[in-house]
Amino acid sequence: MIYFDNAATAPVNKSALEAALPFMSGQFGNPSSAHTKGRTAALAIMRAREQCAAAIGAHSEEIIFTSGGTEADNLAVHSAAILGRKLGKKHIITTAIEHPAVLNSCKALEDFTLTVIPPNSNGFVTASQIEAAITAQTILVSVMTANNEIGTIQPISEIGSICRSHGVMFHTDAVQALGAVPINVDEMCIDMLSASAHKLGGLQGTGMLYCRSGTAISPLILGGGQERGLRSGTENTAGIAAFGCAAENAVQNIPEKQRKISEMRDALIRELKKIPNSQLNGGEPRLCGNVNMSFAGVQGESLVLALDISGLCASSGSACASGSGEPSHVLRAIGLSGQMLDGSLRLTLSSENTMDEVREAAAIITQAVSRLRRLCE
Ligand code: PLP
């Protein structure tokens, strides 16, 4: 089985799993308990908080652990909205290619004005587009670091410094970017950042929101006051311990990983471009592991099923994650329509993949596309 769906979820790191296991067996204490088992769990969370903070150049008290990237995005937008209402600033700027966790959180704010910046046909927004949209009413700018479908990496430092100079809060969804590109919240002027453990070798169901010290955070989940009252609920100690370890590992040797993975990505793109009536979606800079291609005359979902039968795990951009059958809002935003929109395929590689797998996958895809096209003739 060849696994080219790392953007959906990445394999769990061996060391992250080892970090989690004690808290799923003998060390099962509640981190709020005063006894030894509780204190052991609390210590593990403290260490993970330091590891996650270090991965983005932050301080540990600026990290709020959540149930994943979705909750982190919701918490960021919700907190900005509460502050915006207090200050009488009810305008938010985001982009048309954000993950639904950001887009839908923004759209749910019925009393806010939302400016949704369109990307160009390569999948990029610019800092000047953001600057032109800022008004005296703007409370938040939210722009993802890297896109989950087409892998495009946005000019986050430039956008961050524009926001800083206008006194506007800047949030970035770095769920796909953390571990793939270097991130430093100070250098990039980021006020809030979302990340998710299962995209970088941790476990599903754990994430974090980084909040620059002094940023007003309003909890979405009220209860026993965990996470300094900002995210109640007994902590997922195992998941958090794994996240800390995975985040620490993920940010090691990024340039070396980028070199190895982008070599495989570029070889795969070269092979897939040989398929007639195909196109690469999204431009450079793109995540080192991301390939998003369209093949005219093929349904993306049928292609994914055909590839699965041949032992290749991939995903399609033609239906959204909920399985509603709606075409990808990202591909539409960069101008795809018709057959190119319907026939998209996302392949996302990691450093655990090999060049042999790339060659084999290219052959499998080439055969599957021509078989499906013959069926449709
Ligand atoms: N943001 C982006 C860019 C994503 O790719 C994802 C997941 O695919 C999320 C947010 C949601 O993260 P989670 O699965 O941890 O809720």
Side-chain angles (χ1 to χ4, degrees):
M1 182 62 86
I2 301 173
Y3 189 76
F4 279 2
D5 201 16
N6 288 277
T9 206
V12 178
N13 264 190
K14 192 166 174 284
S15 50
L17 180 63
E18 278 163 9
L21 281 175
F23 304 101
M24 301 167 83
S25 51
Q27 297 299 345
F28 53 81
N30 185 321
S32 298
S33 298
H35 51 64
T36 310
K37 277 197 195 301
R39 288 201 311 274
T40 305
L43 268 176
I45 293 175
M46 194 166 97
R47 173 161 160 69
R49 203 183 300 283
E50 284 163 5
Q51 290 168 309
C52 286
I56 55 170
H59 303 288
S60 56
E61 66 276 10
E62 295 172 312
I63 303 298
I64 302 169
F65 286 118
T66 64
S67 64
T70 299
E71 187 189 327
D73 285 341
N74 274 264
L75 182 56
V77 173
H78 168 80
S79 298
I82 299 281
L83 181 65
R85 286 189 189 114
K86 272 189 202 141
L87 300 177
K89 291 177 157 202
K90 297 208 280 185
H91 176 227
I92 292 179
I93 301 169
T94 189
T95 82
I97 57 171
E98 296 300 309
H99 189 273
V102 167
L103 272 179
N104 292 343
S105 299
C106 292
K107 286 178 188 163
L109 302 169
E110 287 174 2
D111 55 331
F112 275 66
T113 308
L114 184 60
T115 301
V116 181
I117 306 288
N120 65 15
S121 60
N122 283 325
F124 297 99
V125 297
T126 64
S128 28
Q129 280 177 294
I130 301 290
E131 184 162 36
I134 292 176
T135 71
Q137 305 307 313
T138 310
I139 188 72
L140 176 73
V141 168
S142 181
V143 178
M144 69 201 320
T145 313
N147 184 265
N148 45 307
E149 294 190 39
I150 53 177
T152 47
I153 301 168
Q154 304 302 328
I156 292 303
S157 298
E158 280 174 61
I159 295 172
S161 63
I162 294 280
C163 292
R164 181 69 49 87
S165 69
H166 287 270
V168 173
M169 274 162 101
F170 177 46
H171 166 250
T172 188
D173 174 338
V175 165
Q176 295 290 339
L178 184 58
V181 295
I183 294 178
N184 182 294
V185 288
D186 284 341
E187 287 168 11
M188 298 165 97
C189 302
I190 295 166
D191 298 314
M192 294 188 283
L193 173 147
S194 306
S196 175
H198 72 107
K199 309 291 185 179
L200 46 78
L203 305 178
Q204 293 167 358
T206 322
M208 69 172 186
L209 181 69
Y210 153 79
C211 310
R212 177 171 297 285
S213 161
T215 306
I217 295 298
S218 300
L220 273 171
I221 301 178
L222 305 172
Q226 289 89 347
E227 295 295 287
R228 304 185 313 288
L230 299 174
R231 201 284 182 183
S232 286
T234 300
E235 298 89 336
N236 171 2
T237 310
I240 291 172
F243 190 15
C245 180
E248 187 174 80
N249 292 342
V251 298
Q252 305 298 315
N253 307 320
I254 289 181
E256 205 178 294
K257 269 193 308 193
Q258 282 174 333
R259 244 189 324 277
K260 181 187 169 203
I261 302 171
S262 58
E263 246 177 60
M264 293 190 284
R265 175 200 64 190
D266 295 343
L268 185 58
I269 292 173
R270 269 196 307 277
E271 286 307 307
L272 297 181
K273 277 185 167 172
K274 292 180 187 163
I275 298 176
N277 297 319
S278 64
Q279 72 175 39
L280 177 67
N281 302 317
E284 289 279 348
R286 73 189 302 136
L287 288 173
C288 54
N290 177 284
V291 177
N292 190 307
M293 298 278 306
S294 287
F295 306 100
V298 167
Q299 286 294 324
E301 286 138 280
S302 312
L303 182 56
V304 167
L305 294 177
L307 298 179
D308 186 39
I309 291 167
S310 302
L312 173 60
C313 298
S315 76
S316 159
S318 65
C320 74
S322 65
S324 72
E326 279 297 302
S328 151
H329 69 285
V330 174
L331 296 179
R332 266 214 285 230
I334 62 169
L336 265 66
S337 60
Q339 294 199 343
M340 287 305 184
L341 182 60
D342 293 340
S344 75
L345 180 71
R346 182 187 72 174
L347 303 146
T348 44
L349 284 62
S350 80
S351 54
E352 294 192 13
N353 292 122
T354 65
M355 207 49 112
D356 280 344
E357 288 181 323
V358 166
R359 282 186 278 268
E360 199 183 329
I364 291 173
I365 296 164
T366 306
Q367 278 169 15
V369 169
S370 63
R371 209 168 46 240
L372 289 171
R373 281 178 175 165
R374 275 200 308 274
L375 282 175
C376 295
E377 272 170 9

